[in-house]
């Protein structure tokens, strides 16, 4: 009896321990995500100040430092060093939370990718895990460069040897961060260029589907003639009168009704196909525009801007023999690189603010077929929403295009997609392949990939996947 009781107590204890561990694991995830969310918001609140520091304060400090060195003005040199220390500290304060947030996102998405293994959710998570992993490495390198920058500025008012060593280390880390980000931007621009070409190679849907639309037009005309003939026959029965009319009138009415319904169905099919062709054409043009814009932003802000800043770091590192490594070339390159990065950053900020304004003030612009627009916010409320730079756009043009592409590519079992012709559905799925959302990307056989598009339970995952792929290279 006693051994049995001990065994029961042991089993109960094991179950309680297991449940406690599971509860701990369950609460650990939300707690980790909550901390990451707070850090992300903290970082985004600091980003306007960080942008000012990178685009204005740092180049200005470098110019004053060069002037102080050339004129041997110790007072100006010390003031510039104090300002430079504050600037590097502000950069570091903004970059460190980003490093943590990117690391947490990389871990979470890698875990999601392993959990889903295949399909749209797997590919979305796997791609974001790689992107966030690279963001973590870039942020960590930048954080190290800013830390060295603090040390460099702090030693400028001390011994020359210490300042020279700090300048060499800081310049080397700045060069590594700049060239690393520039190389990554070049890779992204190349990916966007390849995706642009793939979408362009699909051709204009209006030309590709001209023949199928012509067939639908012929069917509509024939259906109208059939309806006309049926009504002529019906009129003749009325004119004949007598016993013949009574025997055949019912069949004539049925034939006329059926012919009229056929004509209406043919007209609706043609109208639907014409609308879908225009929608697909708009979606393809939008996809090309997004990739072209991405190429421009990566080329200017990343390849040119960050590489120029990296070159400034090299100049700083190798020019330690010229006093305090402050020279016109160094600060000139730093200023040029910062200006390019600042320009792209301000462009992105303005575009994002405009999109946030439009999504609440003009919600009717972003309604797909079968959807109902929400009530428009007032101008004041819309402006307030536009200034919330830490919020992402949730209902904009990109999200609308993603929903429209999915509607055209989805199978007939998905609500709203049953009326799409086979030819248009095939073209929409070819667009998905061009956007890197095809069977190979999802680690699925073509049949399984097509089946996933016909599963309405996976609609949200597919729309999220298309939204991400429209913006990524």
């Amino acid at each position: 009896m006693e051994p049995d009781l001990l065994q029961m107590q042991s089993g109960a204890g094991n179950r309680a321990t297991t449940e406690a561990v599971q509860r701990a694991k369950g609460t650990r995830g939300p707690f980790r995500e909550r901390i990451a969310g707070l850090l992300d918001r903290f970082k985004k609140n600091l980003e306007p100040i960080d942008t000012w520091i990178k685009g204005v304060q740092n180049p200005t400090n470098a110019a004053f430092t060069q002037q102080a060195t050339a004129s041997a003005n110790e007072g100006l040199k010390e003031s510039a060093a104090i300002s430079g220390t504050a600037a590097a500290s502000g950069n570091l304060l903004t970059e460190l939370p980003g490093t943590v947030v990117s690391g947490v996102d990389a871990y979470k998405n890698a875990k999601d990718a392993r959990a889903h293994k295949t399909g749209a959710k797997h590919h979305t998570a796997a791609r974001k895990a790689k992107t966030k992993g690279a963001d973590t490495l870039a942020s960590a390198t930048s954080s190290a460069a800013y830390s060295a920058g603090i040390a460099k500025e702090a030693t400028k008012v001390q011994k020359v040897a210490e300042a020279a060593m700090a300048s060499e280390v800081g310049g080397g880390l700045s060069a590594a961060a700049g060239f690393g980000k520039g190389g990554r931007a070049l890779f992204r621009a190349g990916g966007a260029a390849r995706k642009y070409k793939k979408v362009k190679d699909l051709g204009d849907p209006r030309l590709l589907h001209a023949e199928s639309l012509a067939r639908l037009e012929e069917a509509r005309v024939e259906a109208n003639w059939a309806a006309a003939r049926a009504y002529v026959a019906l009129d003749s029965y009325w004119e004949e009168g007598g016993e013949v009319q009574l025997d055949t009138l019912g069949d004539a009415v049925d034939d006329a009704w059926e012919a009229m319904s056929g004509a209406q169905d043919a007209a609706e099919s043609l109208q639907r196909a014409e609308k879908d062709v225009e929608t697909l054409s708009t979606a393809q043009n939008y996809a090309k525009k997004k990739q072209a814009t991405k190429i421009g932003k990566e080329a200017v802000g990343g390849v040119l801007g960050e590489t120029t800043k990296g070159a400034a770091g090299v100049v700083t590192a190798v020019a330690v023999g010229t006093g305090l490594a402050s020279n016109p070339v160094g600060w000139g390159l730093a200023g040029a690189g910062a200006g390019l990065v600042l320009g792209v950053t301000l462009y992105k900020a303005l575009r994002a603010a405009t999109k946030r304004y439009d999504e609440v003030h003009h919600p009717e612009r972003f309604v797909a077929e079968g959807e109902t627009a929400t009530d428009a916010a007032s101008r004041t409320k819309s402006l307030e929403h536009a200034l919330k730079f830490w919020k992402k756009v949730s209902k904009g043009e990109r999200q609308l295009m993603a929903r429209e592409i999915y509607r055209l590519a989805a199978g007939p079992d998905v609500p709203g997609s049953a009326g799409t012709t086979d030819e248009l559905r095939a073209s929409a799925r070819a667009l998905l392949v061009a956007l890197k959302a095809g069977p190979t990307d999802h680690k699925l056989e073509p049949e399984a990939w097509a089946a996933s598009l016909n599963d309405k339970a996976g609609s949200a995952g597919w729309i999220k996947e298309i939204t991400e792929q429209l913006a990524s290279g």
Side-chain angles (χ1 to χ4, degrees), residues 216-428:
L216 288 174
E217 171 64 17
E218 290 177 3
R220 184 191 68 81
V221 172
E222 179 58 34
N224 284 338
W225 277 112
R229 288 193 294 269
Y231 273 96
V232 168
L234 181 60
D235 287 340
S236 67
Y237 290 136
W238 281 110
E239 292 174 357
E240 290 178 6
E243 193 68 26
V244 177
Q245 178 188 3
L246 296 177
D247 292 341
T248 59
L249 182 58
D251 291 338
V253 170
D254 290 342
D255 291 342
W257 180 259
E258 184 178 352
M260 190 62 188
S261 298
Q264 184 177 354
D265 290 343
E268 290 178 354
S269 296
L270 176 61
Q271 185 179 15
R272 171 65 181 266
E274 289 175 337
K275 184 177 180 180
D276 285 348
V277 167
E278 288 298 321
T279 299
L280 183 59
S281 178
T282 301
Q284 287 187 195
N285 289 333
Y286 177 82
K288 288 188 291 185
K289 182 185 73 172
K290 288 294 291 183
Q291 298 310 309
T293 302
K294 187 175 185 65
I295 293 170
K297 289 190 293 187
E298 295 293 348
V300 175
V303 179
L304 294 179
E306 295 294 347
T307 302
T308 303
K309 289 169 63 179
V314 172
V315 171
T316 300
V318 301
V320 293
T322 60
L324 293 175
S326 300
N327 52 82
V329 177
W331 73 260
L333 287 171
L340 291 169
V341 174
L342 177 64
V344 173
T345 302
L346 292 177
Y347 169 79
K348 289 181 178 179
L350 180 60
R351 285 284 296 163
T354 303
K355 290 177 181 179
R356 285 192 295 270
Y357 179 88
D358 287 341
E359 75 173 330
V360 296
H361 195 61
H362 298 290
E364 73 282 355
R365 295 179 181 176
F366 312 112
V367 177
E369 183 177 333
E371 298 176 347
T372 302
T374 57
D375 294 334
S378 66
R379 186 182 298 275
T380 301
K381 292 291 185 182
S382 300
L383 286 172
E384 291 176 358
H385 183 72
L387 295 176
K388 295 178 180 178
F389 53 85
W390 60 87
K391 287 193 173 184
K392 293 182 178 180
V393 177
S394 59
K395 296 179 181 178
E397 187 178 14
R398 180 156 60 100
Q399 290 77 12
L400 170 62
M401 287 295 103
R403 296 196 301 275
E404 292 285 27
I405 292 171
Y406 174 70
R407 178 181 65 81
L408 294 175
D413 292 342
V414 174
S417 301
T420 305
T421 65
D422 292 339
E423 293 91 343
L424 276 167
R425 183 173 288 116
S427 291

Side-chain angles (χ1 to χ4, degrees), residues 30-44:
F31 179 75
R32 182 172 55 243
E33 292 181 8
R34 189 178 305 170
I35 294 297
L38 291 173
L39 287 174
D40 186 50
R41 184 165 183 174
F42 176 72
K43 175 182 180 295
K44 289 181 177 178

